Amino acid sequence: VKGEDELDIANTLMEMGDAHSLQIQRQQNHQSTGSSSQKYTLAVEAYIEAIEIRKQVLGEHDMNVALSYYPLGMLHFKNGHRKSALECLEIALNICRVKGDFYGGNHKSAMMNVLNALGDVYYDDEDLDKAMECYEEVMQICQKEEEEEEDKKTNETNACKDTSIPLRQQENQVKREGIVSEDHVYHQMGKIHARRQHYKEAMVSYEMALKIRKLMLGYSHVAVARVLVDIGAIVVKDPDASNTDEKKEQGTENTITPTDKAIAYYEEALRIFNIKPSLKETELSTPHQHKHDVLLVIANARTVLGELYSRKQNYNKAITNTREALLLYKRFNGETSNLSTVLHNLGTFNARACQYDIAMKCLEEALVIRKAKSGSDSLDVARTIFEIGCVFYAEEKHDLARDSYLESIRIWGLQPPDDKNNNLGGDDDLDLAQVKNKLGCVYGKLEQYQEGLNYLESALRTFKCKLGEENDVRIATT
């Protein structure tokens, strides 16, 4: 056979590239410094040499060439080289398209893998439109495949009706092989919908991903937990997306709120994570996922769960979850913007639980990080200074509380209107009104009543404007 020896060499080079890639993956999963850079170079060289040989022997548009570009693209992606990853995967996709009608051909799985990977790269590159196009094309292939499989099953059943059990077993195996990427696509499409604030569409996609993963992987798989976390986030942002209006728990007088529902999703996800302390590569939900990323998901889930429990005024659980998140973030040497948020929340929750020394320590640490990251006049700094003022107020250090509130208001006044966006779900005008409300109370304690009245009236006007004349507790207390 012409070029047989050369193709054997190319196959060996591909295996070498795969071996180096696997070593890099393991080093990343164990956060090992190692020589991953050297392994990356060796893997790239092996793949490129294999590709050149296959192109010379088989031609540039042979499917084996496409299948060579795919792992090279994934290698680039896993190591943060998105531009190189896109180049390789787009070449692979073009080869797949040149080969003909793959919706009915023999290369559907290759086409789906390339599109899947391209979607992931575009998603990480913030090109949500192109990512969605890739994922939607994968779903078109899946739909076509299901239709063909249904026709095949019908024909086989008619031809041999007494083999229903083996046919059913074969059907399940086909579904298991064909659906592996489908759950990932649904999950990614849900993320895109969520980022576009299309929460109902996101919920539909997440629920499909969850259904498939539970069926294929079991109820306690890490990939299932990942979807549960994202569903919980949707419930937090838009309760209407999941039909989680307040209702009575069956057989009791307890009211189930959207917050309760979100807590249930996060708790179930964390239960799964807790029984999977040693993650394997096969349990990660995307081809480029590392244990480092999964641990960050757990830390983020703990952070949100702490905020949810604080809404229920269950500060013990709020503190416990937030403390766990803090420990995880500190394992990454603080290389995350969420560290200051967790410290801020932990300080706030401890203050609500009357643990003022711990609260002040956390808030002061959060303040240092926020000033270093965003400057001394950022809204995050203003919020932390406000919470420090609340601790002073609780400790009856009214002069210090007043100074903190005034400094917080000063920073608020420096912000352009377009920058006053609160990503935690509240309204910034209401947050500022709350600061003025507390400052008015402090002036009352200091017997400076006119100053206090001015700030309280300003806060009340904002509350009424934003909340209407409803019986909101903030209006009543002001």
Side-chain angles (χ1 to χ4, degrees):
V1 178
K2 179 183 177 181
E4 184 175 347
D5 291 341
E6 288 87 346
L7 290 177
D8 286 342
I9 294 173
N11 293 338
T12 300
L13 287 166
M14 290 298 299
E15 291 173 359
M16 289 173 59
D18 293 342
H20 290 313
S21 296
L22 182 59
Q23 288 180 325
I24 295 170
Q25 178 83 30
R26 288 174 175 168
Q27 287 177 348
Q28 290 170 336
N29 283 339
H30 292 89
Q31 301 180 48
S32 170
T33 53
S35 56
S36 60
S37 177
Q38 181 182 3
K39 293 291 183 185
Y40 169 73
T41 302
L42 292 172
V44 170
E45 291 174 349
Y47 285 138
I48 289 177
E49 189 174 351
I51 288 170
E52 291 304 315
I53 293 173
R54 286 181 171 179
K55 286 165 68 175
Q56 291 175 10
V57 176
L58 302 172
E60 292 189 358
H61 297 113
D62 189 89
M63 275 302 300
N64 285 291
V65 176
L67 294 174
S68 304
Y69 273 110
Y70 172 73
L72 177 57
M74 292 305 299
L75 174 67
H76 287 313
F77 184 30
K78 293 173 187 177
N79 289 273
H81 304 287
R82 288 196 295 265
K83 183 178 179 181
S84 298
L86 283 174
E87 291 174 355
C88 292
L89 293 170
E90 285 173 351
I91 291 172
L93 182 61
N94 289 333
I95 295 173
C96 289
R97 296 198 190 284
V98 168
K99 298 303 291 184
D101 181 14
F102 295 99
Y103 297 163
N106 297 321
H107 308 298
K108 287 179 288 188
S109 62
M111 186 83 162
M112 290 168 64
N113 285 336
V114 174
L115 284 166
N116 221 337
L118 264 175
D120 291 346
V121 179
Y122 282 130
Y123 180 85
D124 273 25
D125 207 32
E126 302 293 328
D127 194 337
L128 301 186
D129 291 336
K130 286 188 177 180
M132 184 63 86
E133 288 175 7
C134 291
Y135 295 138
E136 286 176 343
E137 188 168 355
V138 173
M139 297 311 300
Q140 291 172 9
I141 299 174
C142 290
Q143 183 177 1
K144 184 70 174 178
E145 189 177 44
E146 289 173 3
E147 292 172 357
E148 292 175 352
E149 197 59 43
E150 187 65 28
D151 293 340
K152 179 181 177 182
K153 183 182 69 173
T154 301
N155 294 335
E156 290 178 349
T157 302
N158 292 335
C160 190
K161 293 183 178 180
D162 60 346
T163 58
S164 59
I165 294 178
L167 279 174
R168 193 154 52 242
Q169 292 172 344
Q170 182 183 10
E171 175 191 358
N172 290 337
Q173 182 63 27
V174 169
K175 285 186 177 180
R176 187 177 184 84
E177 293 173 356
I179 243 167
V180 168
S181 63
E182 199 172 343
D183 68 300
H184 171 68
V185 174
Y186 275 123
H187 193 185
Q188 291 297 103
M189 290 174 71
K191 290 181 179 180
I192 293 174
H193 286 310
R195 291 184 62 176
R196 291 172 170 171
Q197 298 183 3
H198 301 159
Y199 297 124
K200 291 185 185 297
E201 292 86 346
M203 185 62 73
V204 170
S205 295
Y206 285 150
E207 288 177 343
M208 284 298 299
L210 184 64
K211 180 179 179 180
I212 295 170
R213 287 183 176 177
K214 284 182 175 180
L215 177 65
M216 295 295 103
L217 305 173
Y219 281 65
S220 296
H221 196 280
V222 168
V224 171
R226 294 287 310 259
V227 184
L228 289 169
V229 167
D230 288 330
I231 291 177
I234 295 297
V235 176
V236 171
K237 293 174 182 176
D238 184 10
D240 293 336
S242 57
N243 297 319
T244 53
D245 294 334
E246 292 190 5
K247 58 183 180 180
K248 295 291 185 180
E249 186 177 359
Q250 187 174 5
T252 73
E253 291 299 317
N254 297 330
T255 299
I256 302 175
T257 67
T259 299
D260 295 323
K261 191 71 172 179
I263 286 173
Y265 280 118
Y266 279 104
E267 288 284 17
E268 177 61 14
L270 289 171
R271 181 194 67 80
I272 295 171
F273 284 129
N274 285 338
I275 63 176
K276 295 284 185 178
S278 179
L279 301 175
K280 300 177 182 178
E281 288 86 345
T282 54
E283 292 178 324
L284 304 175
S285 61
T286 64
H288 59 283
Q289 191 73 56
H290 309 312
K291 288 183 182 179
H292 177 280
D293 303 306
V294 175
L295 292 175
L296 281 177
V297 171
I298 296 172
N300 291 339
R302 291 280 186 193
T303 301
V304 177
L305 196 53
E307 294 172 357
L308 292 170
Y309 275 121
S310 75
R311 293 184 186 180
K312 305 286 291 183
Q313 298 184 3
N314 188 337
Y315 296 117
N316 286 334
K317 286 190 175 182
I319 291 169
T320 298
N321 281 282
T322 309
R323 189 187 297 121
E324 289 293 326
L326 180 61
L327 293 174
L328 285 171
Y329 286 131
K330 285 189 172 181
R331 284 177 58 179
F332 307 127
N333 299 318
E335 295 177 1
T336 171
S337 60
N338 290 330
L339 182 59
S340 63
T341 299
V342 173
L343 284 164
H344 174 95
N345 289 353
L346 191 57
T348 302
F349 303 153
N350 273 286
R352 303 294 185 272
C354 302
Q355 302 291 330
Y356 300 123
D357 290 342
I358 299 174
M360 187 61 76
K361 181 179 178 181
C362 293
L363 290 169
E364 288 176 344
E365 192 173 347
L367 186 61
V368 169
I369 296 172
R370 289 183 163 181
K371 283 184 175 180
K373 179 190 172 187
S374 306
S376 298
D377 292 332
S378 70
L379 279 182
D380 282 342
V381 169
R383 290 190 174 96
T384 300
I385 290 174
F386 167 69
E387 293 296 340
I388 289 174
C390 291
V391 174
F392 284 137
Y393 183 85
E395 293 180 323
E396 298 187 354
K397 299 175 182 178
H398 298 130
D399 288 335
L400 294 175
R402 176 200 58 203
D403 295 343
S404 296
Y405 294 147
L406 286 171
E407 175 64 7
S408 181
I409 290 173
R410 183 194 69 79
I411 296 172
W412 276 92
L414 298 176
Q415 309 305 314
D418 290 342
D419 289 347
K420 294 180 180 179
N421 295 318
N422 184 357
N423 295 322
L424 300 179
D427 187 288
D428 281 338
D429 290 335
L430 291 174
D431 291 343
L432 178 56
Q434 187 63 30
V435 181
K436 292 179 177 179
N437 185 21
K438 296 291 289 186
L439 181 56
C441 295
V442 168
Y443 275 123
K445 294 289 186 180
L446 295 172
E447 298 183 358
Q448 298 177 26
Y449 300 115
Q450 187 57 52
E451 287 287 344
L453 187 60
N454 291 339
Y455 280 107
L456 289 171
E457 288 177 342
S458 176
L460 184 59
R461 284 194 297 271
T462 301
F463 287 144
K464 286 185 175 181
C465 178
K466 291 291 182 178
L467 304 172
E469 298 295 332
E470 302 293 332
N471 295 324
D472 190 277
V473 65
R474 284 168 288 192
I475 294 177
T477 55
T478 303

